[in-house]
Amino acid sequence: MSRSYPFLATLLFLFVGSVFAGSESSHLSGGKTTVKKEGPNAYSMPAANLPMSKRLDFSVGNSFFRNPWVQAPASTDARDGLGPLFNTNGCQNCHIKDGRGHPPEENDQHAVSMLVRLSIPAVTAQQKAAYELDGVIPEPTYGGQLQDFALPNMQPEGQIDITYDEVAVSFKDGTVVMLRKPNLKIVELAYGDMHPEVLMSARVAPPMIGLGLLESIPESTILAFAEAQKEDNSSVTGKPNYVMDVRTQKMALGRFGWKAGQPNLMQQNAAAFNGDVGLTSSLFPSENCTSNQGVCTAQHSGGDPEVSDKILNFVEFYTQHLAVPQRRNIDDPLVIAGEKLFNNVGCQNCHRTGIQTGTQEGLPAISNQTIHPYTDMLLHDMGKGLSDNRPEYAASGREWRTAPLWGIGYTEEVNGHTYFLHDGRARNLTEAILWHGGEAEAAKQNVLALSKSERDALLAFLNSL
């Protein structure tokens, strides 16, 4: 592996930027891992309690996450093997500054930090059996994900075309908000028609902060959240997703992805390398082409596998230790009032705080921390308005994992936008709230009854996170 990493300068920057002040309290969203950092790099810092001896591993993982991969063969043999079909040539291109992706502007077909999942309904007995193991039935020609880029002299699978309809929602005081309802199409298909019953789901890249802490929440804690909601006899009835762990070949609790479709960060990262960048690994040894596409057999390999286990381990360590920035303005009376409203309207039923992580062997920085992620890690029915009609393992088309809210107030300064939800349709936090339905319908109706001053307080609280 090449050793051309700017270790000393990077380590000094990471050490200085990750110093935090204060004691254990609610403003330290990630417990002792929390950093005091603002501006465009607020999501890119290592855990504050990560020892200097481990920051070298963090830096190496960062380099493979940040730098582009290239077509094979190349002199940079540690990071060649790109494609031939892909969505991006590097992780950082979607998770810009380790943050949140966004949909393309209307009539702009280059999605960059958004992709489209593809599948077909499981109808036959064979398909249903395959669905039980894999969670989806890939579209026969284009696979499980549309790749809208390709190597030179090769054809990308197609291009994303999104338009929006407007949906009006009114607050009790008469204020009207116009929501955007996306219409998704795939155009310029290069390998023939798609299956007539294809299911499509647009997904923007989620922020990378605090993922190791979420991975460290004991399964028993997450299941206890589901049991407590069930016993409460309310409209909120979250459930876990169970998905295939490709290493153990056993079903495991789903934790990552918009529908909790991946069980751990190692598999999440390897799947992204394969589907997004077109790279093989020990977890996903096959190229991301279907038998109906001949482009994979025509390209040079970047190695077998193209992403070594050593690189996967470095990237896993990096994604496990990206820190959550601390809350701001927690003593502001408006923020305090907004937090009370957040709890009173019912948001806290799914967006949970005060969670204890377990002990992760060899990972003391993220072990035994009291964290405030504002998620229960469960699937919830979010209503018809947010449905993509595409099931994934136990998740129906209407069900989504509760998105963590920690760090959400930093979105604009890190990524230059405030697009939220799985497909980026919401242009701000108000729109994101108003798209809630299903199990969250009662909470949304409570928000619609708030006065203008109360809504301002609720947004002030959310932006303090």
Side-chain angles (χ1 to χ4, degrees), residues 117-138:
R117 301 281 191 210
L118 304 172
S119 60
I120 61 173
V123 177
T124 67
Q126 183 179 13
Q127 287 175 334
K128 290 178 180 178
Y131 180 87
E132 290 295 319
L133 293 176
D134 300 324
V136 294
I137 304 299

Side-chain angles (χ1 to χ4, degrees), residues 100 206-207 214 257-258 342 350-352 373-378 380 382 400-406 408 420-422 436:
R100 190 182 304 271
L214 298 180
W258 287 103
F342 181 87
C350 301
H351 296 284
R352 300 289 297 255
Y374 293 89
T375 177
D376 59 7
M377 300 292 284
L378 297 171
H380 291 275
M382 296 302 293
W400 303 91
R401 187 202 67 164
T402 304
L405 299 182
W406 53 9
I408 201 166
F420 299 110
L421 299 179
H422 65 279
H436 283 53

